[in-house]
Each structure stands twice: as C-alpha cells, then as structure tokens.
Amino acid sequence: MAEQTTPIDPAGPPPGDPAPGIPAPPAAGDRQVIRDALGVGIAVGLSGFAFGATAAGAGLTVGQACALSLLVFTGASQFALVGALAAGGNPFTAAAGAFFLGARNAFYGLRLSQLLALPRAARPLAAHWVIDESSAVALAQRGRRHTRLGFFVTGATLYVLWNVTTLLGALGAEAIGDTGAWGLDAAGPAVFLALLAPMVRTARERVTAAAAVLLGLGLLPVLPGGVPVLVAALAAPAVLWAEGRRRPRPSEESPR
C-alpha cells in the first residue's frame, strides 16, 4: 500500500503553535490552568467587599469581620451567619446554620484527597482552601500536576483577595455609617443568590430551592431569626422522599 501523506501548508503553523503531530509543551498547559484559576479567584474574591459591608451592617466590628474571612473562609457560610445576626437571630443558631451550610466542603475534601495526594505537612493548609471554587477548578483538570496547580492557584488567589476586600468593605461600611441607608444591607443576600443560582440546573434542584424559599419565608414571622434557615434545609430530604414515593416499586413494574 502506498504511503499516505498530508499536504503541508506552505505558510507553516501559526507563530507559537506546535508543529502538527507534536504535543503542546507542559508549560502551555500550566499557563492555561493558571489563567483559569486566576479568573475564578479574582471574580469571586471581589465579592468580599459585599461581605465586609454586610458584616459591618450586622453589627460586627472590622476585626470580627476579618477574623471570619481568615478563619472560616467559606463565603456562603459567612453570608448566612451575618445574615442571621442582622435579622436578630441567636448567635448559636446563626453559627449552626453556617456550620451545616459549610459541611459540604467535607465531601469535596473526600474526593480531592485522592486526586491531590498531598504530603501530610501540606494537608492542613489545603483543607482550609477546600471550597466550591477551588474544588471546581481542581476537578476540571486532568492529571495530578494540573489538579494541584488549579487547586492551589485558585485557593491562594481567592484567599488573599477575599480577605483584602473584606477588610476594605468593612472599613468602607464603617466610614459611611448606616449601611441600610445606602442599600448595602441587600448586598450580602444578592451575592449569595448569585453564587447559588448557577448550581440550580435540574428540575429536582429547582423544586428543592423553591420549597426551601417557601419554608424560610413562611416561617420568618413565627420563628426566631436564624431558625427558618435551619428548617429550610429540610426541603432537600422532603423532595427526595417525594421522588422515592413516586417511583414504582420493583414488584409493581410490568414484566418484560
């Protein structure tokens, strides 16, 4: 059989592109991962302004707001905590709601621990950076090298920027006084919804979100602040139970 050849473009490959049949160098893949990680870290990190302003509006000092970002570092839980406090909720109830909301990070950690395979000394730092964004970037990569690179670049960028903007947001809110007069009291819930909205894709998730909203809003007049958020979490098992009830049992299925 005659050997088949591919016509060669006289102009050659574009500048900077590898020749046909030659894989791109590892550095090119690293740069793409770093760009993606920086994009996510910067985009989400800027919402720390809203958290700092919301925390100051809820009555927290600048030091308390910064301590939350430094030590807790999970935006959804932080917004839930200060939101419950702003509504007059009990601090322990508010903390419980934030804890249960942040517990999802433990499930990310179970998966990431296998993919990252970090030395024991690096695990405490990595555990502190296991959040939605760093997990999403890491899980989107192929290969341990890029998984680690995506995780740590996202985590470091977001951690630094989130804490800096928290400080600036809290200082700014403290300087202007009443955050409610400027509408900044709505910044926290707005950012929280913006973070959650892309995660609600399937019909089951939409029904669960709607049920949680109805439970939370319906119970606001009758329960102390912070408690409706905890009760709204019951929407998830309730939807799963209803789905299970609708599915036919094996004995009820028609024989093939």
Side-chain angles (χ1 to χ4, degrees):
M1 181 181 292
E3 183 180 356
Q4 294 181 346
T5 59
T6 303
I8 299 176
D9 184 359
D17 283 4
I22 300 177
D30 291 353
R31 287 195 295 268
Q32 181 61 50
V33 174
I34 291 172
R35 282 197 298 267
D36 293 343
L38 287 174
V40 171
I42 293 172
V44 179
L46 292 175
S47 55
F49 283 113
F51 172 72
T54 304
L60 274 67
T61 65
V62 173
Q64 289 171 333
C66 291
L68 275 175
S69 286
L70 285 167
L71 302 176
V72 177
F73 187 54
T74 169
S77 297
Q78 292 177 231
F79 277 119
L81 176 63
V82 298
L85 292 176
N90 182 285
F92 293 103
T93 305
F99 172 80
F100 285 116
L101 192 57
R104 70 192 186 284
N105 294 334
F107 296 99
Y108 298 153
L110 292 175
R111 177 59 177 152
L112 288 174
S113 64
Q114 302 173 1
L115 297 177
L116 297 173
L118 295 172
R120 190 177 299 273
R123 292 175 189 173
L125 172 63
H128 194 49
W129 288 355
V130 175
I131 54 175
D132 294 330
E133 293 78 16
S134 61
S135 301
V137 173
L139 293 172
Q141 308 307 321
R142 291 185 177 181
R144 181 160 294 163
R145 173 187 174 87
H146 285 171
T147 300
R148 287 178 173 179
L149 187 61
F151 176 83
F152 280 108
V153 173
T154 306
T157 305
L158 187 48
Y159 188 74
V160 171
L161 191 55
W162 178 266
N163 281 282
V164 170
T165 54
T166 293
L167 172 62
L168 296 177
L171 288 173
E174 191 177 65
I176 65 175
D178 183 12
T179 57
W182 294 81
L184 294 180
D185 54 333
V191 173
F192 189 36
L193 287 176
L195 292 172
L196 289 178
M199 303 179 189
V200 182
R201 299 187 182 95
T202 66
R204 176 197 295 171
E205 291 166 349
R206 288 192 288 269
V207 170
T208 303
V213 169
L214 291 175
L215 277 173
L217 293 179
L219 294 174
L220 274 177
V222 296
L223 292 177
V227 177
V229 176
L230 296 177
V231 178
L234 296 175
V239 170
L240 292 175
W241 176 82
E243 272 196 350
R245 293 278 296 178
R246 287 202 308 271
R247 290 176 184 167
R249 297 179 181 178
S251 58
E252 297 175 356
E253 293 180 349
S254 57
R256 295 181 180 177

